[in-house]
Amino acid sequence: DVKVTQSSRYLVKRTGEKVFLECVQDMDHENMFWYRQDPGLGLRLIYFSYDVKMKEKGDIPEGYSVSREKKERFSLILESASTNQTSMYLCASSLRQRENTGELFFGEGSRLTVL
Amino acid sequence: GQNIDQPTEMTATEGAIVQINCTYQTSGFNGLFWYQQHAGEAPTFLSYNVLDGLEEKGRFSSFLSRSKGYSYLLLKELQMKDSASYLCAGLDSNYQLIWGAGTKLIIKP
């Protein structure tokens, strides 16, 4: 069974803390993505990666960074957490198909609360 | 700007049929996805349409009209387990996904 695993389902952090969200996939997918999901809004893309050590900014990269040292692992880093980063964070992966029409496989999400 | 519109919430009865609509405005178009997301769970892929017409997959069907910028997801023989949010996403000319806010479907006995 294919799987995208996010390290923490629930986190509570204080303003200014550094936060690491880890995502691991076991499907040998080239593409990996980080989204945030907020009530009343569509999924918003933070960063994505099409290959190891490669990263591209999405629609809302400010306040975030990412790391992809290994193909199966894609980490999201909040250098200094703020209350407006309280959200559900979803990691996803997909095969590198022609022109990104591949199905996304999502992790179960990490709900981050910043106090 | 780019936009995906879908109803916020719908209610339907177990055993019935429901149609969830999605209209899109994207810079170019390279297909439309539907995902299902149960509360507290990961979204899971339902369908991908790039050509006009209806594609059937068991109890679920997805329709696309590119000329109208319109899609719908049709769920037949509704079951209680179909209670979930349904996410519509369009793929623009840069092959980036534009997501709707999702439609929460409530199934009543």
Side-chain angles (χ1 to χ4, degrees):
Chain A
D1 199 16
V2 296
K3 213 162 173 66
V4 178
T5 303
Q6 294 185 228
S7 55
S8 305
R9 289 297 303 274
Y10 301 96
L11 303 96
V12 179
K13 298 291 181 180
R14 297 202 175 276
T15 301
E17 280 192 90
K18 191 169 186 175
V19 182
F20 291 89
L21 299 178
E22 299 265 290
C23 175
V24 177
Q25 50 95 2
D26 64 1
M27 296 167 280
D28 203 32
H29 285 173
E30 293 85 2
N31 305 334
M32 295 190 76
F33 306 83
W34 274 105
Y35 287 94
R36 64 178 282 176
Q37 185 175 35
D38 298 291
L41 298 177
L43 294 180
R44 293 182 290 169
L45 183 63
I46 304 171
Y47 269 95
F48 59 100
S49 169
Y50 288 149
D51 205 346
V52 176
K53 296 196 185 293
M54 176 271 180
K55 60 186 178 185
E56 293 282 347
K57 292 180 180 179
D59 300 318
I60 52 164
E62 297 78 17
Y64 303 95
S65 62
V66 290
S67 172
R68 186 132 183 235
E69 295 296 317
K70 293 185 177 182
K71 188 177 185 180
E72 66 271 18
R73 190 179 296 270
F74 193 36
S75 302
L76 180 69
I77 303 144
L78 288 67
E79 293 289 342
S80 177
S82 63
T83 53
N84 64 11
Q85 293 177 310
T86 291
S87 187
M88 171 67 84
Y89 290 88
L90 289 169
C91 175
S93 70
S94 69
L95 277 169
R96 181 185 293 150
Q97 290 186 244
R98 185 172 64 88
E99 292 149 348
N100 198 29
T101 55
E103 168 190 353
L104 288 176
F105 292 85
F106 285 89
E108 292 198 324
S110 298
R111 184 168 292 283
L112 172 66
T113 301
V114 183
L115 302 176
Chain B
Q2 304 196 94
N3 198 47
I4 302 283
D5 281 319
Q6 51 182 134
T8 302
E9 187 173 295
M10 300 181 69
T11 302
T13 305
E14 190 177 15
I17 298 173
V18 71
Q19 177 175 311
I20 303 174
N21 296 326
C22 170
T23 57
Y24 63 87
Q25 291 176 307
T26 56
S27 303
F29 179 75
N30 284 297
L32 191 125
F33 289 85
W34 284 96
Y35 282 80
Q36 180 190 58
Q37 186 178 24
H38 287 101
E41 297 184 12
T44 54
F45 171 83
L46 288 176
S47 66
Y48 169 65
N49 295 64
V50 66
L51 299 176
D52 289 349
L54 184 70
E55 291 199 7
E56 298 186 61
K57 207 183 278 187
R59 294 189 298 113
F60 291 13
S61 303
S62 55
F63 172 83
L64 177 67
S65 168
R66 289 174 297 173
S67 62
K68 295 181 179 177
Y70 167 69
S71 173
Y72 68 72
L73 183 69
L74 190 72
L75 291 73
K76 302 177 185 175
E77 300 169 17
L78 285 169
Q79 301 176 10
M80 297 304 292
K81 67 179 182 180
D82 297 330
S83 292
S85 289
Y86 292 86
L87 313 180
C88 174
L91 200 58
D92 71 10
S93 58
N94 293 320
Y95 296 95
Q96 299 303 313
L97 281 168
I98 311 299
W99 293 85
T103 299
K104 183 178 181 181
L105 178 63
I106 300 167
I107 309 296
K108 295 187 173 178

